[in-house]
Amino acid sequence: MTIPDKIIMKTQADQNTKTSTENIFLSTIKGIFAVSLVAVFTATLFTTWPSTGISLPFQPESEQARFPALSPTPDSAFHVGIVVGHWGHDSGAICPDSLGGHREVDINYNVAELTRQLLQSEGVEVDLLKEYDDQLNEYMANALISIHADTCQYLPNEASGFKIAETVENKRPEQAARLTACMKNRYANATALSFIDQTTVDMTSYHAFKEVHPNTPAVIIETGFMNQDRILLTKEPDKVAQGIAEGILCFLNREEISPGQ
Ligand SMILES: [Zn+2]
């Protein structure tokens, strides 16, 4: 509080010595300055926000944001969060030694790191997040994806495949739906796994969906079964990462989604 007091005292002392002509001159300068500020602010407002006026800077609708390669300034880059399933918390599912002894968290981390590299090579800024990362609270990004893998138990009726669930708490359900559609299409193409249309309560009530900012489209993917899809998940993680990265890019770049692609 000492600094503002000193400033006020100095200003008052100065004003006592001013003539009325100087005061009028100062008022005019202040007036011009205030008008200029309003003009600059208004201009910024209309050039930054799309005509709808409801989009936030992170939304991919703006032309600058849609084509980061053409405008590689940090402000216009896409921003994506990847939650590494179970990282920093527990090991997730574990395979018996007879099936390689793999831990889900290791599979998830490997895939997430490869996905991060692929997205960054396309100019996307990526946060690699822990399962219960503090950053998830009100997290804002163009998209958030949480990477998990399914059980290592042998399930004869669910031989193989991937699952995706999206946040239902999102204020922009059409964005989350589109992210899901892109992920389904691109992931199936890259991995040749089929989509299993049965999401579990664990997926739909996923904790991060409630934590992120309601404008952030969020999905969780079960990349495959650690039992029947083990070869893909552990020996070909580049295909898994490619499917996820291409799904995210499909969403960010508003690419066409055609089933046969
Ligand atoms: Zn998991």
Side-chain angles (χ1 to χ4, degrees):
M1 292 304 287
T2 53
I3 294 172
D5 288 348
K6 279 180 188 166
I7 289 169
I8 289 165
M9 285 171 66
K10 188 170 187 291
T11 307
Q12 284 167 345
D14 286 349
Q15 277 175 352
N16 291 340
T17 61
K18 278 175 195 147
T19 64
S20 58
T21 314
E22 281 172 333
N23 282 336
I24 290 165
F25 175 73
L26 279 173
S27 301
T28 311
I29 295 292
K30 279 179 192 166
I32 291 168
F33 185 62
V35 169
S36 305
L37 265 185
V38 170
V40 168
F41 177 73
T42 311
T44 308
L45 196 67
F46 283 105
T47 51
T48 306
W49 285 354
S51 54
T52 57
I54 54 168
S55 295
L56 292 170
F58 277 127
Q59 294 310 316
E61 284 88 346
S62 90
E63 285 298 306
Q64 269 203 329
R66 284 176 63 193
F67 302 104
L70 299 176
S71 48
T73 57
D75 288 345
S76 64
F78 287 124
H79 187 182
V80 167
I82 300 177
V83 176
V84 183
H86 304 275
W87 185 31
H89 186 251
D90 61 8
S91 60
I94 300 179
C95 291
D97 289 344
S98 59
L99 294 177
H102 302 288
R103 304 191 314 160
E104 183 194 340
V105 66
D106 300 330
I107 291 173
N108 297 340
Y109 190 89
N110 202 12
V111 168
E113 173 58 23
L114 291 169
T115 305
R116 181 180 71 81
Q117 290 172 20
L118 288 171
L119 289 173
Q120 284 183 338
S121 72
E122 295 292 324
V124 179
E125 290 177 12
V126 179
D127 295 322
L128 225 51
L129 303 166
K130 292 181 177 169
E131 181 67 75
Y132 290 96
D133 207 299
D134 289 342
Q135 290 185 71
L136 283 170
N137 186 33
E138 294 294 307
Y139 184 75
M140 284 187 74
N142 294 105
L144 177 100
I145 181 156
S146 179
I147 297 176
H148 282 255
D150 240 317
T151 177
C152 203
Q153 290 177 319
Y154 180 70
L155 301 170
N157 297 325
E158 283 185 276
S160 150
F162 68 100
K163 301 171 188 165
I164 294 177
E166 68 199 44
T167 170
V168 290
E169 322 244 342
N170 201 277
K171 281 191 178 162
R172 297 168 156 258
E174 76 287 351
Q175 298 263 5
R178 189 178 154 73
L179 176 58
T180 301
C182 272
M183 289 301 310
K184 279 183 197 171
N185 180 260
R186 299 302 196 262
Y187 192 78
N189 290 347
T191 62
L193 287 187
S194 27
F195 174 65
I196 300 173
D197 194 6
Q198 49 174 242
T199 50
T200 62
V201 177
D202 279 352
M203 292 178 77
T204 52
S205 64
Y206 183 53
H207 69 91
F209 290 166
K210 303 179 187 97
E211 293 163 31
V212 299
H213 191 280
N215 277 343
T216 302
V219 296
I220 179 171
I221 182 169
E222 297 279 3
T223 50
F225 285 87
M226 288 169 60
N227 188 312
Q228 293 94 317
D229 300 321
R230 192 172 60 257
I231 299 298
L232 173 78
L233 296 178
T234 61
K235 306 277 190 225
E236 303 171 313
D238 50 320
K239 281 188 187 174
V240 180
Q242 186 194 344
I244 296 172
E246 287 181 355
I248 292 170
L249 290 169
C250 158
F251 168 72
L252 296 176
N253 294 323
R254 297 188 157 269
E255 294 167 11
E256 292 272 319
I257 309 168
S258 55
Q261 208 167 357

